[in-house]
């Protein structure tokens, strides 16, 4: 009896010691990483509200004594609404067809996965994940030239659709594969066609995955820089990331104006991420874990 009490007390002391021991190393690394992330963002935001004349005369990390919106006014007056509209057209024009096609392709792969043709198509989609954009930029450029789509928004939309499809098919097929087969058989016994089953059964049950790939592809396409750089030439066809690069050249001395353009370029996609980050993270996690 005495031995059991002694062992229990020792066990509690050991567990208590382990539970109360602070992880100093983990906390220090977390604070360091937080500083690495927060300090540049803080510097960009406060500098965008500083006047050009006071930027070099004050501490870079000190908040502005006289905040001004002149930098934002200058950027907006420099065709920023046009660049914003171009990015919006390219993003919506690429995301909607890519997600719709990927959803139908994922449904076909899952429901008809025993066929040799569909297995080959699925393997082709998976191969697309291993091919980076940088490795295909020259063939894409030549194809766009042959199609007479160079320096057009459609020339940006088509390649964006192609590069968004592989990952979208992978995520959506993982979700559709977990829909019980009994539900598909029940729809078939009720006389529903494959098209009706696709949109009335599979789509409502996999809506979280659809939202996930939509947000993810929108983030990628909105932030895309290489395709607009290679496939466009006219200033009126620039998207926001490419326009940001031109702002850096146009306002190479006016650092606050450059950072104001950075804030305006990042703000829309930041709002989208804040609104849908839970859906994005949970959808990707569930999709790859199933």
């Amino acid at each position: 009896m005495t031995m059991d009490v002694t062992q229990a007390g020792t066990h509690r002391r050991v567990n208590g010691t382990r539970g109360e021991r602070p992880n100093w190393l983990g906390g220090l690394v977390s604070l360091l990483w937080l500083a690495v992330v927060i300090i540049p963002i803080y510097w960009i935001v406060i500098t965008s509200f500083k006047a050009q004349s006071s930027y070099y005369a004050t501490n870079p990390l000190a908040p502005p004594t006289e905040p001004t919106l002149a930098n934002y006014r200058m950027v907006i007056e420099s065709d920023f609404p046009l660049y914003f509209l171009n990015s919006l057209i390219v993003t919506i024009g690429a995301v909607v067809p890519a997600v719709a096609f990927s959803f139908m392709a994922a449904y076909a792969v899952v429901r008809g996965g025993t066929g040799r043709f569909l297995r080959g198509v699925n393997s082709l989609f998976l191969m697309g994940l291993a091919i980076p954009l940088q490795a295909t930029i020259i063939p894409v450029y030549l194809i766009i030239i042959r199609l007479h789509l160079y320096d057009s928004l459609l020339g940006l939309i088509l390649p964006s659709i192609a590069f968004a499809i592989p990952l979208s098919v992978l995520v959506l097929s993982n979700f559709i594969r977990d829909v019980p087969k009994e539900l598909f058989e029940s729809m078939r016994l009720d006389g529903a066609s494959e098209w009706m089953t696709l949109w009335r059964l599979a789509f409502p049950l996999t809506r979280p995955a659809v939202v996930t790939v939509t947000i993810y592809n929108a983030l990628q396409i909105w932030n895309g820089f290489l395709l607009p750089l290679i496939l466009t030439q006219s200033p009126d066809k620039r998207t926001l990331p490419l326009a940001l690069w031109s702002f850096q050249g146009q306002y190479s001395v006016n650092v606050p104006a450059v950072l104001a353009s950075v804030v305006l370029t990042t703000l829309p996609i930041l709002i989208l991420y804040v609104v849908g980050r839970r859906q994005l993270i949970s959808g990707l996690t569930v999709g790859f874990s199933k």
Side-chain angles (χ1 to χ4, degrees), residues 6 8-9 30 36 41 60 74 94 122 151 169 197-198 206 245 253:
T6 304
S30 300
V36 170
I41 298 176
M74 180 185 302
N122 189 32
D151 200 22
V169 171
T197 304
L198 170 67
T206 58
W245 175 68
V253 180

Side-chain angles (χ1 to χ4, degrees), residues 100-175:
F101 178 82
S102 300
F103 179 71
M104 292 185 288
Y107 178 83
V109 168
V110 173
R111 293 291 295 155
T114 56
R116 181 178 301 177
F117 174 74
L118 289 178
R119 289 202 306 268
V121 172
N122 189 32
S123 301
L124 187 63
F125 286 139
L126 295 178
M127 287 177 58
L129 295 173
I131 302 176
L133 172 63
Q134 294 79 3
T136 61
I137 192 62
I138 294 179
V140 169
Y141 171 78
L142 296 177
I143 292 174
I144 294 298
I145 290 292
R146 288 292 186 90
L147 294 176
H148 303 285
L149 295 176
Y150 179 75
D151 200 22
S152 67
L153 296 182
L154 184 59
L156 299 178
I157 291 174
L158 294 180
S160 299
I161 294 174
F163 285 101
I165 286 175
L167 182 61
S168 301
V169 171
L170 177 62
V171 175
L172 293 173
S173 61
N174 284 333
F175 272 81

Side-chain angles (χ1 to χ4, degrees), residues 36-105:
V36 170
V37 174
I38 293 297
I39 291 177
I41 298 176
Y42 166 78
W43 174 74
I44 290 173
V45 173
I46 65 170
T47 305
S48 65
F49 291 99
K50 292 182 178 180
Q52 182 183 5
S53 57
S54 63
Y55 170 70
Y56 293 100
T58 59
N59 186 350
L61 296 179
T65 57
E66 297 180 359
T68 177
L69 296 176
N71 300 313
Y72 290 93
R73 192 179 303 111
M74 180 185 302
V75 173
I76 293 175
E77 291 175 353
S78 301
D79 293 331
F80 183 86
L82 175 61
Y83 305 144
F84 180 88
L85 180 62
N86 290 340
S87 290
L88 191 64
I89 293 174
V90 172
T91 301
I92 296 177
V95 168
V96 174
V99 173
F101 178 82
S102 300
F103 179 71
M104 292 185 288

Side-chain angles (χ1 to χ4, degrees), residues 12-27:
R12 285 195 298 269
R13 287 197 300 271
V14 172
N15 289 343
T17 302
R18 290 179 179 178
E20 296 175 359
R21 182 181 300 171
N23 188 0
W24 295 106
L25 180 60

Side-chain angles (χ1 to χ4, degrees), residues 75 78 80 83 87 150 222-235 237-254 257-263 265-266:
V75 173
S78 301
F80 183 86
Y83 305 144
S87 290
Y150 179 75
W222 183 277
N223 294 325
F225 177 79
L226 185 58
L227 285 177
L229 177 64
I230 301 299
L231 301 180
T232 60
Q233 184 178 6
S234 302
K237 296 299 187 297
R238 291 173 180 169
T239 57
L240 280 178
L242 186 59
L244 176 60
W245 175 68
S246 67
F247 278 129
Q248 291 178 351
Q250 185 176 359
Y251 303 112
S252 58
V253 180
N254 193 346
V258 174
L259 297 184
S261 65
V262 172
V263 174
T265 302
T266 310

